[in-house]
Amino acid sequence: MRWIEDRYISLLTDFGFKRIFGTKPNKDLLINFLNSLFDGLQVIKDVKYLNSEHVGDVFAERKPIFDVYCENEHGEKFIVEMQNAYFPIREQAPKGAEWNFQHEHVYTVALLNFDLEEEAFDKDDINHDVGLLDKKTLKVFNDKLSFKYVEIAKFNKTEEELDTLYDKWLYVLKNLSRLDERPSALKEKVFTKLFEEAEIAKFTPTELKEYEDSLKAYRDVKNSIDTALEKGREEGMAKEKISTARRLLSMGLSEEQVSTATELPLEEIQKLRK
């Protein structure tokens, strides 16, 4: 018996992401998305997939990152990742190949389902272009390796505010599983195919089972991350209260006053005196 009530799959799951972006019959969807992202700086006409895994594999693995690896008609490589947890920004060369400067360009496109909170990035923007440069001269060291980070978790435009094709893709990436029907703003032909592919009612029993496993894995990862973040926030607040209590004590306030101000137990305030 099916327990999923959504009409459309979540693209934040391994199964959903690879069904839409990682299968040969749907490569036109990936091409359309990438061209909207690069906005004329890169024009992709065709791709071939280089991943060893495809839809039909087991999607129950609890992975915070999953990707689609492909190559365009010029031999340039694209690693398109969905990241559901923060990992340090790292250099990624083509899998199964030795990196050297004679290779074609490699683009890593990381779609981030969380707030990155990276000090190096503009906090008012959700798109970040990263390359390799010499820290002293600030000159580009190697232009054959590029990273594009997209903080889809920060994308908050409503349907009425969707201006560009790229806006519409980000809206779909973030909200697809929450939709009951195709929004009128997504009138382009590419979205007709996407919504057809994403409709859960059309899945075979095998596909449905794979999606259920993938969705459960995604929710497990997200719950673990949310729990860790909440614990981190609570620990941070506790440390801040203790730090504040020490400052108030040093200013001459009584233990009772400090306890009232910080909401820390009087016994804990007394321990800070020792």
Side-chain angles (χ1 to χ4, degrees), residues 17 66 86 140 167 192 205 224 232:
F17 185 76
F66 36 88
Y86 175 77
V140 175
D167 282 347
T192 301
S224 297

Side-chain angles (χ1 to χ4, degrees), residues 18-58:
K18 288 178 178 172
R19 182 180 181 89
I20 297 302
F21 291 126
T23 57
K24 189 174 181 180
N26 290 338
K27 69 178 181 180
D28 54 324
L29 301 180
L30 176 63
I31 292 170
N32 189 280
F33 168 68
L34 289 176
N35 282 331
S36 74
L37 170 66
F38 284 95
D39 193 25
L41 297 177
Q42 166 72 253
V43 179
I44 303 164
K45 297 181 180 179
D46 193 19
V47 297
K48 65 178 180 179
Y49 291 100
L50 305 175
N51 290 63
S52 59
E53 60 182 32
H54 303 281
V55 170
D57 292 338
V58 176

Side-chain angles (χ1 to χ4, degrees), residues 172-227:
V172 167
L173 279 163
K174 184 174 182 179
N175 299 298
L176 181 59
S177 65
R178 305 173 190 173
L179 301 176
D180 293 325
E181 59 184 19
R182 176 181 172 184
S184 58
L186 306 180
K187 59 181 181 300
E188 288 81 0
K189 185 177 179 180
V190 66
F191 294 116
T192 301
K193 181 173 182 178
L194 185 149
F195 276 85
E196 289 175 351
E197 288 293 319
E199 192 164 0
I200 297 172
K202 296 180 180 178
F203 286 4
T204 66
T206 299
E207 290 172 332
L208 181 59
K209 177 63 167 58
E210 290 169 354
Y211 177 57
E212 288 174 340
D213 290 344
S214 182
L215 185 60
K216 184 179 184 302
Y218 163 72
R219 288 174 175 171
D220 287 347
V221 168
K222 190 174 187 305
N223 288 338
S224 297
I225 294 168
D226 290 345
T227 299

